[in-house]
């Protein structure tokens, strides 16, 4: 456990080098959860990775249970080994229509730095499934980079410059980059056996096109949500919010 927890802490440090204000983003999501659904019930983490957001949900809300979903066998092993008994860790591909096969009512779904891997058509389908799976009044919070497009060229340039400055400062202070973290994970005795499966699963993965925050909000409305908006922003890093109508 301690060994795996250390790798999760290193993951958080590595991710903070790429996502400025990452902890502020997490805090905003947790605050909105408390204000809307009270932090209780079952909260689903979509694309949970090693459980960074799920862990913060469990720490903030002692009455919550988490369903943590990902398709990366290495990161799932980290999540399963460190989240504890109030979490259920599931191996499911969010591009598969059957990903939401778990039982029970869901008060909220959350995601951070994950759903940008989905193509626009896959994202709309996922949002629709999330809407239908949430309990009445349930909420979705999706935190990610939603890039400025050519209409906002100046802001796009400022955001890119800020990303570069954040990374330079973090790496100069000793943070690992993406490649270094994965090199360490791939040689860890608990995680190494899962690396070939990870490589097989993602061998054909192609990066999805960048989407703007306007597209995300429109996709949420298309999925059936009526209450939709942005609850946090720093440059091109956002948390978008959607709430299913009460019964």
């Amino acid at each position: 456990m301690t060994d795996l927890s250390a790798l999760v802490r290193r993951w958080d440090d590595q991710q903070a080098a790429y996502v400025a204000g990452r902890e502020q983003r997490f805090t905003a999501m947790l605050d909105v959860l408390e204000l809307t659904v009270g932090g209780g019930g079952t909260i689903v983490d979509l694309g949970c990775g090693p459980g960074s957001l799920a862990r913060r949900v469990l720490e903030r809300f002692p009455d919550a249970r988490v369903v943590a979903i990902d398709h990366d066998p290495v990161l799932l092993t980290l999540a399963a080994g460190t989240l504890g008994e109030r979490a259920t860790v599931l191996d499911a591909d969010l591009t598969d229509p059957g990903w939401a096969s778990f039982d029970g009512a869901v008060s909220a779904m959350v995601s951070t730095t994950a759903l940008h891997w989905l193509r626009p058509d896959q994202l709309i389908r996922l949002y629709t499934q999330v809407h239908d799976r949430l309990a009445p009044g349930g909420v979705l919070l999706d935190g990610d980079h939603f890039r400025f497009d050519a209409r906002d060229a100046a802001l796009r340039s400022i955001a890119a410059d800020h990303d570069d400055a954040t990374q330079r400062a973090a790496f100069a202070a000793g943070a690992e980059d993406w490649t270094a973290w994965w090199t360490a994970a791939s040689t860890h005795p608990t995680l190494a056996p899962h690396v070939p499966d990870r490589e097989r699963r993602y061998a054909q993965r192609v990066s999805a096109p960048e989407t703007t925050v306007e597209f995300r909000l429109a996709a949420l409305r298309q999925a059936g949500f009526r209450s939709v908006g942005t609850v946090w922003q720093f440059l091109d890093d956002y948390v978008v919010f959607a709430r299913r109508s009460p019964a």
Side-chain angles (χ1 to χ4, degrees):
M1 172 72 82
T2 302
D3 213 13
L4 293 181
S5 295
L7 269 177
V8 172
R9 288 193 297 272
R10 288 166 63 179
W11 170 272
D12 280 344
D13 291 343
Q14 174 256 132
Q15 285 289 288
Y18 296 100
V19 182
R22 184 170 181 259
E23 288 300 328
Q24 292 93 321
R25 185 209 278 177
F26 284 142
T27 299
M29 297 175 79
L30 297 172
D31 287 348
V32 174
L33 283 176
E34 185 167 4
L35 290 166
T36 53
V37 299
T42 296
I43 298 172
V44 178
D45 186 359
L46 303 168
C48 67
S52 297
L53 177 54
R55 183 170 296 100
R56 287 162 174 81
V57 168
L58 293 168
E59 290 171 351
R60 174 79 173 260
F61 305 118
D63 295 328
R65 297 194 65 85
V66 165
V67 176
I69 300 174
D70 209 290
H71 196 48
D72 185 318
V74 173
L75 299 183
L76 282 169
T77 301
L78 278 172
T82 58
L83 284 178
E85 62 183 16
R86 286 192 291 131
T88 300
V89 178
L90 297 181
D91 183 351
D93 185 349
L94 295 178
T95 66
D96 181 342
W99 65 268
S101 59
F102 50 88
D103 296 325
V106 175
S107 61
M109 296 201 193
V110 296
S111 185
T112 183
T113 320
L115 301 187
H116 62 270
W117 287 107
L118 301 184
R119 300 191 314 264
D121 61 306
Q122 294 171 331
L123 184 70
I124 293 173
R125 183 175 66 199
L126 178 77
Y127 278 168
T128 302
Q129 291 177 294
V130 168
H131 172 273
D132 295 345
R133 195 65 178 76
L134 284 170
V139 302
L140 167 67
L141 291 162
D142 182 8
D144 216 328
H145 279 112
F146 307 137
R147 302 298 187 182
F148 298 113
D149 61 17
R151 296 170 299 172
D152 295 307
L155 283 171
R156 184 178 178 91
S157 177
I158 292 168
D161 289 346
H162 188 268
D163 284 348
D164 288 343
T166 299
Q167 290 170 35
R168 287 197 302 272
F171 298 146
E176 292 173 288
D177 63 13
W178 175 266
T179 301
W181 188 90
W182 275 104
T183 298
S186 298
T187 57
H188 188 281
T190 301
L191 303 180
H194 301 284
V195 171
D197 187 25
R198 179 181 193 272
E199 293 174 346
R200 177 186 60 78
R201 293 185 182 198
Y202 293 116
Q204 303 302 318
R205 183 169 69 177
V206 177
S207 295
E210 294 177 352
T211 56
T212 64
V213 68
E214 292 87 357
F215 171 80
R216 294 293 179 120
L217 297 174
L220 288 165
R221 293 188 179 95
Q222 178 68 30
F225 290 100
R226 293 294 176 265
S227 181
V228 172
T230 300
V231 295
W232 183 84
Q233 177 189 0
F234 181 72
L235 294 174
D236 59 0
D237 190 2
Y238 294 83
V239 176
V240 296
F241 165 90
R243 190 169 200 170
R244 181 172 177 173
S245 298

